Amino acid sequence: MAGTQSRSGRGKLQRLFLLLISAARLQSNTAKYVRGSISTSEDWVFLTRFCFLSDYGRLQFHFKYPEEDCCQNILLYFDDVSQWPAVYQKNQMDCYEKESVLRPDNNQVINLTTRYTWSGCEVVEEGQSRYLSCLGGRSFRSVRERWWYIALSKCGGSGLDLEYEMRLTNGRSFWTEQFSADEFGILETDITFLMIFILVFLISCFFAYLLKSRLLLHTTYKMFMASAGMEVLSLMFFCLYWGQYATDGVDNYGVKVLAKLLSSLSFLIFLLMLILLGKGFTVTRGRISHSGSVKLTVYMTLYTITHVILFIYEAEFFDPGQVLYTYESPVGYSLIVLQFVAYVWFCYAVYTTLKHYPEKQTFYIPFFAAYTLW
């Protein structure tokens, strides 16, 4: 999350790239390391969320605020329907009501004051000012993995004004420590698929050399190579991103967005290649009709624009206080519909091609079966 109240632009690149980078901000809410500052008249503020393991979850924090603003609290909600959903979805609840759902026996309130031993607070002087500096931690144990939501409060006060730094971890393994439990396995999966796609790309290069020597290096095969190459680059950047994240828990927005862009481009090229092959391009005919070209252009443009809108929609409308993923939005549903339309188009194209060229069944039947599953 790294400063929900204070985050601003991170560079002045081209407008589109800025928008896409801002779309990745949502992902920082599951970051292991978060820091920032808050200055608001609100008496209750949501900070971040994290899915802790049942036995190994740990929160370490450092909060600092002026002594005259005492006393502020860290509130720890979990995902039971009587807790976070009850508080966050009912905006009419005041600060006291939001605090009342917490269970005292679970130590879900950490008072940031010297009177509360577990907060680790002490008074420090900086020039003519006195601050409360609170350095402490909290372990999380439950019967299952749980989402925990961290908020701040100062009910009945003049608002919140503080600096914060938090580390949220799961165990001590390189593969789990920095990750929220819902992110387990992402790095290992990306590494595995990177190796697979590197092998696929190298094999495709070998066959491209053979095809070129026979003057059979067609456009659709070049599209396949371009798609595979972009997927390799995408997975390389994803592995770089998650590898760095596993080391220090810090989100690198630019690397992640670049990886997602390359993955989207790879997918779009591959989808276009499948429709073209379904229509028989480079298999039964050397060109697509004018009307077919127009339809493909309109469809791919629409699909690309929807992808871009989805990035922006995540940044502007996805609520970091809720567990939401890419396709849980109207734009995500639109993308699913477009993909279903592409599949229907693919089926119709293969059917029409086989109707006119039944001798191509040995190619099209396995081709259709494989990419129907895909």
Side-chain angles (χ1 to χ4, degrees):
M1 188 167 119
T4 301
Q5 304 296 324
S6 63
R7 187 181 303 149
S8 59
R10 298 175 178 274
K12 299 199 173 183
L13 302 174
Q14 296 178 358
R15 288 186 179 180
L16 177 60
F17 194 59
L18 266 176
L19 287 171
L20 294 174
I21 287 179
S22 68
R25 289 182 302 175
L26 176 68
Q27 303 302 322
S28 67
N29 289 314
T30 56
K32 164 258 178 182
Y33 176 77
V34 291
R35 65 180 301 177
S37 61
I38 291 177
S39 181
T40 177
S41 59
E42 299 291 330
D43 57 5
W44 186 96
V45 172
F46 165 68
L47 280 185
T48 191
R49 59 181 168 85
F50 198 80
C51 190
F52 287 104
L53 290 173
S54 56
D55 293 319
Y56 305 106
R58 178 73 180 168
L59 162 66
Q60 294 173 290
F61 61 81
H62 181 202
F63 284 81
K64 177 183 173 184
Y65 67 95
E67 186 181 23
E68 63 266 22
D69 290 337
C70 186
C71 296
Q72 305 184 26
N73 306 308
I74 303 174
L75 309 179
L76 306 172
Y77 298 88
F78 56 86
D79 55 12
D80 188 83
V81 292
S82 65
Q83 294 236 324
W84 185 250
V87 166
Y88 198 68
Q89 295 176 6
K90 296 180 180 179
N91 296 325
Q92 69 272 20
M93 296 178 70
D94 62 27
C95 180
Y96 293 106
E97 290 173 320
K98 291 178 178 179
E99 285 188 347
S100 67
V101 305
L102 298 173
R103 302 172 184 173
D105 55 317
N106 284 343
N107 299 314
Q108 291 178 253
V109 179
I110 302 175
N111 303 116
L112 297 177
T113 170
T114 54
R115 296 189 299 272
Y116 186 73
T117 305
W118 296 105
S119 68
C121 292
E122 61 181 7
V123 178
V124 296
E125 295 186 7
E126 293 184 5
Q128 301 299 316
S129 301
R130 288 165 61 89
Y131 294 89
L132 281 173
S133 178
C134 305
L135 185 64
R138 172 80 156 79
S139 296
F140 293 82
R141 287 183 170 84
S142 59
V143 295
R144 61 170 176 83
E145 291 84 0
R146 280 189 181 276
W147 280 101
W148 285 83
Y149 301 83
I150 302 173
L152 294 173
S153 72
K154 185 185 176 185
C155 297
S158 57
L160 296 161
D161 184 12
L162 63 117
E163 298 176 0
Y164 66 90
E165 184 175 2
M166 292 185 291
R167 293 185 177 275
L168 303 98
T169 57
N170 274 317
R172 296 182 179 179
S173 167
F174 173 81
W175 306 102
T176 65
E177 182 177 10
Q178 317 293 352
F179 297 103
S180 179
D182 66 314
E183 297 171 329
F184 287 178
I186 292 178
L187 177 57
E188 300 95 307
T189 302
D190 283 347
I191 291 173
T192 300
F193 275 94
L194 174 61
M195 294 179 177
I196 292 172
F197 272 93
I198 287 176
L199 181 61
V200 168
F201 183 69
L202 291 176
I203 292 173
S204 70
C205 289
F206 172 73
F207 281 104
Y209 173 78
L210 297 179
L211 290 171
K212 186 175 182 181
S213 65
R214 299 169 58 189
L215 302 178
L216 293 174
L217 187 57
H218 297 304
T219 302
T220 47
Y221 194 84
K222 293 177 183 178
M223 293 173 69
F224 171 78
M225 290 186 64
S227 176
M230 286 187 181
E231 190 64 23
V232 168
L233 289 175
S234 170
L235 288 167
M236 286 177 63
F237 282 113
F238 270 126
C239 289
L240 176 64
Y241 168 80
W242 289 113
Q244 177 184 335
Y245 187 87
T247 302
D248 56 24
V250 178
D251 252 333
N252 188 328
Y253 301 134
V255 172
K256 188 171 187 178
V257 171
L258 180 58
K260 293 176 75 172
L261 280 172
L262 288 168
S263 181
S264 295
L265 285 172
S266 173
F267 179 84
L268 290 171
I269 292 172
F270 195 75
L271 186 63
L272 177 60
M273 181 203 73
L274 289 181
I275 295 175
L276 287 173
L277 285 172
K279 294 172 74 68
F281 182 60
T282 69
V283 179
T284 63
R285 54 176 163 167
R287 63 174 57 198
I288 301 296
S289 66
H290 177 70
S291 61
S293 298
V294 171
K295 291 176 184 176
L296 278 170
T297 301
V298 170
Y299 176 82
M300 296 309 297
T301 301
L302 183 61
Y303 203 106
T304 302
I305 292 174
T306 306
H307 258 286
V308 173
I309 293 175
L310 184 60
F311 275 108
I312 299 171
Y313 189 92
E314 283 183 314
E316 298 300 323
F317 298 102
F318 269 31
D319 189 342
Q322 297 179 335
V323 181
L324 295 173
Y325 298 98
T326 300
Y327 289 98
E328 295 182 87
S329 67
V331 184
Y333 300 147
S334 299
L335 209 58
I336 293 172
V337 170
L338 284 173
Q339 195 159 329
F340 180 74
V341 169
Y343 174 67
V344 173
W345 195 354
F346 172 72
C347 293
Y348 178 75
V350 171
Y351 169 77
T352 303
T353 301
L354 283 177
K355 183 178 179 180
H356 292 93
Y357 300 93
E359 67 275 11
K360 296 295 183 178
Q361 288 185 15
T362 53
F363 169 74
Y364 274 104
I365 290 177
F367 171 74
F368 177 76
Y371 291 106
T372 290
L373 292 174
W374 176 82

